[in-house]
Structure formats: C-alpha cells, structure tokens
C-alpha cells in the first residue's frame, strides 16, 4: 500500500512520490531522486521542515522541540525526515524544485478530439498512451503545452480529473494567437508535448462551503474540481458563478447542469457582461455574489480567469471587507505580444 504525496515547490512545480506504508516522506522522495532539504535526518536540525496542506500523518516521536515546536506542529508544519503519512498528503516545500535536484516532467500525448465552440473556445482532448506516464496532478493545476513547430509553449489548466489517460482542456480562441492558430488546424493523431503539473491553485480537502468564480475559459480548473467532488460523493455546498463577455462565450454549461444532478449541494449561475444580451443575469461576476453565503465568513473562495476579472473580484472582497475561510486564485495571464522582427 502506498500513499501519494504531492510536493509543491516554491517555483510552482509539483512532483508526486509514492510513500509506502510506514515510510518517511524524506526516504520516499529520495527513492524518486528528489533531494528534499535535510541536514541531520534525525529530527534535530529542522532543515527538512515543510507545511502539510492536507492529509493525515504521524509526526514521529524522535524529533526534538528545537527542530519542530508544538506550536509549529499545531500549525501544520512537519519534519519530512520523521513524518509518516497515513493518507495521501500535499506538502509545501519552502524551496525550489531545482534546489531539490528535480524539476519539470514532460510527457507525450496524442490529440483525440478538437471541438470548437463558435469563435469563443476549443475543447482539446488528448490521450496519454503510456499509462505509467499519465500525469498525476491536483484538481485545478495546469500544464505547459508546447505549440508544435514554434519552440514556445502555453499554459493550460486541466479540465479533466487527475489520474486518467484521457486529458481535456478548455482553450480560449485568441485572434491570431499562436496556440489558437495551431488548434485551428489540429486533428486527431497530432502529437503534443506537455510539461507539468504546476501551480498552487488546486482544491484543498475539507468540508466547508465553496464559492467558485470563473471568468471565461477560467471554468476549466473548476470542471476538474467538480468531477473530483462528484466522484467522491461530496456533500459540500458549492456555488459557481461563471461570467463571460458575450452569450457565445458561455460554453460547456451542459456539463454544469450535469454536475447539478450529480452533486446534491451544487448550484451555479451564469452571467453575461454584454449589455445587448438577453441573458437573465447581466453585468460582472461581482454584481451577482451570493451575499448570504459570504456573510458567514466561512466560505473558501476559488477564483480563476483573465487578470482584470481576478483583480476586480479581489478588489470587491477587499472593499466590502469580506472575510473568507481561505482564498485561492489563478490568473490566466497572457504571454507578452510577439515583438516584430526588424
Ligand atoms: C497558469 C495559467 C493557466 C492558464 N490556463 C488556461 C486555460 O485553461 N484556458 C485558456 O484558454 N487559457 C489559459 N491560460 C492562458 C493561455 O496560457 C494563453 O495565454 C492563451 O491561450 C493565449 O494563447 P495563444 O497562443 O492562442 O495567443 P498568444 O499568441 O499568446 O497571444 C496573441 C496576442 O493576444 C494577446 N492575448 C492573449 N490572451 C489574451 C486574452 N485573453 N485577452 C486579450 N488578449 C490576449 C497576447 O498578449 C498577444 O498579444 C492560462 C494561463 C496561465 C498563466
Ligand atoms: S533533516 Fe534535520 S530535522 Fe529533519
């Protein structure tokens, strides 16, 4: 029996290690050639201190208070040279992946489907043939996809759940965009190289109410999270607000309707900004916030979309002094415009 330990490094890279029952995390990482920070490996120096973001574990009983105080342990800090997991865990490692002599992992995937949604977005589906190479990631994380023939890559959040050989992505069509242009001619059988997973935007375990705020194709990571919640039979209260510019940008709403059937406490609203739209909810996401839900101060907020939308929501929460149990966001920051070649 093994527990899957996600190691989130400071540079945004995540690596997974399988920790055998009774094994210490430091040893499991070392087997995978990941040199987590350590000095003594005896629970004395504190060099291996990390933060456990989720999961259950035994802290070990052979470390001294100078290495990990009771307060630190209560806060979720752990010594990886002593910690023995008793479930899957997520650990934040306070250094870069490079410093731990690891880095990004690349894998190959084949295009199985390219489904355009008007001029708004494309659903890209890929298959990873080598089962052993299927990416492990946390729901909400993203991967870099190389744009064939360009030497460049673009970041995309998985919209499919972790642990599958079939991957999917929801990608905005950008006029004359590098990836957008490639996708316009993409067909089943095309090969792609992906590198990752990455990012600290992922669904944390817990049972508190969740508010998901998606701007445009920022819906992608929430589809992955919703699938994970649905498969786990989650009873959590989840409200999603999906805001877009035009009616045509509202894609995959049928999938949200299907989650409303599968998840007993899931509700969602769609919002369209275009003043000319007949949509029942117009304007910005911030004009349709669930005030009763937010008033409890217990909501865990996840926010993903283009930078102006993310900034507007953050401002709204600040200006209205809204307290949340936790707040996580991902900005779909575009790449710099291509410079003209002289
Ligand atoms: C962590 C992360 C995760 C991401 N996940 C997703 C995802 O799941 N789905 C998704 O659709 N995108 C996502 N993005 C954005 C994505 O990486 C690309 O920026 C986007 O798809 C444009 O790529 P392109 O090659 O088609 O256009 P580019 O060639 O990069 O852009 C062409 C021109 O358009 C501008 N531009 C690019 N995007 C926009 C925009 N939205 N609005 C206005 N101008 C723009 C560029 O600055 C450039 O001038 C993510 C970005 C980050 C950082
Ligand atoms: S390596 Fe010294 S306390 Fe863990």
């Amino acid at each position: 029996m093994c527990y899957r330990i996600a190691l989130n490094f400071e540079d945004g890279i995540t690596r997974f290690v399988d920790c055998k029952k009774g094994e210490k995390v430091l040893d499991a990482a070392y087997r995978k050639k990941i040199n987590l920070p350590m000095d003594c490996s005896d629970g004395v120096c504190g060099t291996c201190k990390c933060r456990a973001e989720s999961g259950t574990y035994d802290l070990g009983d052979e470390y001294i208070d100078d290495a990990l105080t009771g307060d630190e342990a209560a806060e979720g800090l752990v010594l990886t040279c002593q910690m023995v997991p008793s479930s899957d865990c997520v650990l934040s490692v306070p250094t870069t992946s490079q410093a731990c002599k690891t880095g990004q992992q690349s894998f190959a995937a084949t295009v199985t489907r390219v489904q355009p949604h008007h001029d708004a977005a494309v659903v890209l589906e890929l298959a990873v043939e080598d089962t052993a190479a299927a990416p492990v990631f946390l729901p909400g994380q993203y991967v870099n996809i190389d744009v064939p023939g360009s030497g460049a890559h673009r970041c995309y959040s998985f919209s499919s759940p972790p642990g599958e050989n079939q991957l999917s992505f929801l990608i905005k069509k950008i006029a004359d965009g590098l990836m957008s242009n490639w996708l316009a001619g993409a067909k089943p059988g095309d090969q792609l190289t992906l590198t990752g997973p990455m990012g600290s935007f992922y669904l944390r375990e817990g049972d508190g109410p969740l508010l998901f705020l998606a701007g445009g194709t920022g819906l992608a990571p929430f589809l992955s999270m919703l699938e994970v919640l649905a498969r786990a039979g989650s009873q959590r209260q989840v409200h999603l607000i999906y805001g877009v510019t035009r009616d045509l940008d509202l894609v995959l709403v049928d999938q949200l309707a299907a989650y409303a059937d599968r998840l007993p406490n899931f509700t969602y609203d769609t919002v369209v900004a275009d003043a000319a739209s007949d949509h029942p909810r117009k304007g910005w996401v911030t004009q349709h916030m669930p005030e009763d839900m937010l008033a409890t101060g217990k909501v865990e907020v996840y926010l993903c979309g283009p930078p102006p939308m993310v900034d507007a929501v953050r401002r709204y929460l600040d200006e209205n002094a809204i307290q949340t149990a936790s707040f996580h966001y991902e900005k779909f920051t575009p790449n710099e415009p291509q410079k003209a070649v002289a």
Side-chain angles (χ1 to χ4, degrees):
M1 169 163 204
C2 280
Y3 299 114
R4 186 147 277 180
I5 313 300
L7 301 171
N8 284 341
F9 294 95
E10 260 185 356
D11 47 1
I13 289 171
T14 303
R15 292 293 314 270
F16 287 82
V17 296
D18 286 335
C19 196
K20 295 179 198 155
K21 199 160 186 255
E23 189 176 29
K24 292 170 178 161
V25 170
L26 189 77
D27 298 335
Y30 192 68
R31 266 194 300 108
K32 199 142 184 198
K33 302 190 169 43
I34 299 173
N35 295 354
L36 287 177
M38 74 99 167
D39 210 354
C40 66
S41 81
D42 282 329
V44 175
C45 68
T47 306
C48 64
K49 206 176 291 170
C50 289
R51 181 174 294 282
E53 304 285 356
S54 71
T56 55
Y57 48 84
D58 183 345
L59 281 169
D61 48 18
E62 288 178 9
Y63 64 88
I64 61 169
D65 203 55
D66 278 345
L68 185 76
T69 65
D71 284 352
E72 287 176 322
E75 259 182 54
L77 295 176
V78 295
L79 299 174
T80 57
C81 74
Q82 302 299 312
M83 169 194 186
V84 176
S86 50
S87 76
D88 292 350
C89 294
V90 179
L91 297 189
S92 287
V93 184
T95 187
T96 62
S97 58
Q98 220 183 3
C100 297
K101 300 209 167 24
T102 183
Q104 298 180 339
Q105 275 195 315
S106 292
F107 55 97
T110 307
V111 174
T112 51
R113 192 157 175 243
V114 186
Q115 189 193 7
H117 287 261
H118 321 287
D119 64 347
V122 173
V123 171
L124 174 67
E125 293 180 359
L126 308 178
V128 180
E129 271 130 50
D130 178 359
T131 319
V136 190
F137 57 91
L138 301 168
Q141 285 194 304
Y142 71 94
V143 72
N144 289 337
I145 305 185
D146 289 358
V147 187
S150 72
H153 68 257
R154 295 289 183 263
C155 315
Y156 294 106
S157 310
F158 294 95
S159 57
S160 48
E164 304 224 323
N165 285 17
Q166 304 292 322
L167 311 177
S168 67
F169 301 89
L170 176 61
I171 299 180
K172 182 178 167 68
K173 281 194 191 178
I174 302 286
D176 220 16
L178 187 69
M179 180 59 101
S180 305
N181 282 350
W182 183 82
L183 283 170
K187 54 189 182 319
D190 286 346
Q191 296 290 310
L192 286 171
T193 302
L194 286 69
T195 305
M198 276 172 271
S200 55
F201 186 73
Y202 60 87
L203 182 64
R204 272 65 175 176
E205 282 174 12
D207 49 18
L210 293 164
L211 176 60
F212 290 170
L213 303 171
T217 52
L219 182 67
F222 295 116
L223 295 175
S224 182
M225 295 182 191
L226 287 168
E227 184 59 31
V228 166
L229 290 168
R231 288 184 186 182
S234 174
Q235 301 291 312
R236 284 177 93 164
Q237 183 190 359
V238 188
H239 184 63
L240 181 144
I241 309 180
Y242 176 22
V244 297
T245 309
R246 312 164 306 162
D247 293 309
L248 280 181
D249 297 325
L250 273 180
V251 300
L252 304 187
V253 179
D254 52 332
Q255 291 198 16
L256 297 181
Y259 284 121
D261 288 341
R262 289 171 67 196
L263 279 162
N265 298 313
F266 171 61
T267 51
Y268 68 93
D269 281 333
T270 50
V271 179
V272 176
D274 183 359
S277 161
D278 291 331
H279 198 77
R281 275 167 307 280
K282 300 265 287 288
W284 307 107
V285 163
T286 45
Q287 294 166 277
H288 299 274
M289 296 289 246
E291 283 171 20
D292 291 354
M293 194 180 179
L294 284 171
T296 64
K298 294 186 176 147
V299 180
E300 295 173 33
V301 178
Y302 289 76
L303 164 64
C304 180
M309 179 260 184
V310 171
D311 292 340
V313 173
R314 294 178 68 188
R315 237 181 355 260
Y316 170 89
L317 295 175
D318 276 355
E319 285 169 4
N320 291 284
I322 292 172
Q323 300 291 324
T324 59
S326 67
F327 179 72
H328 313 274
Y329 69 91
E330 183 89 282
K331 282 185 181 178
F332 281 3
T333 311
N335 292 71
E336 290 293 313
Q338 299 270 334
K339 295 206 172 52
V341 181

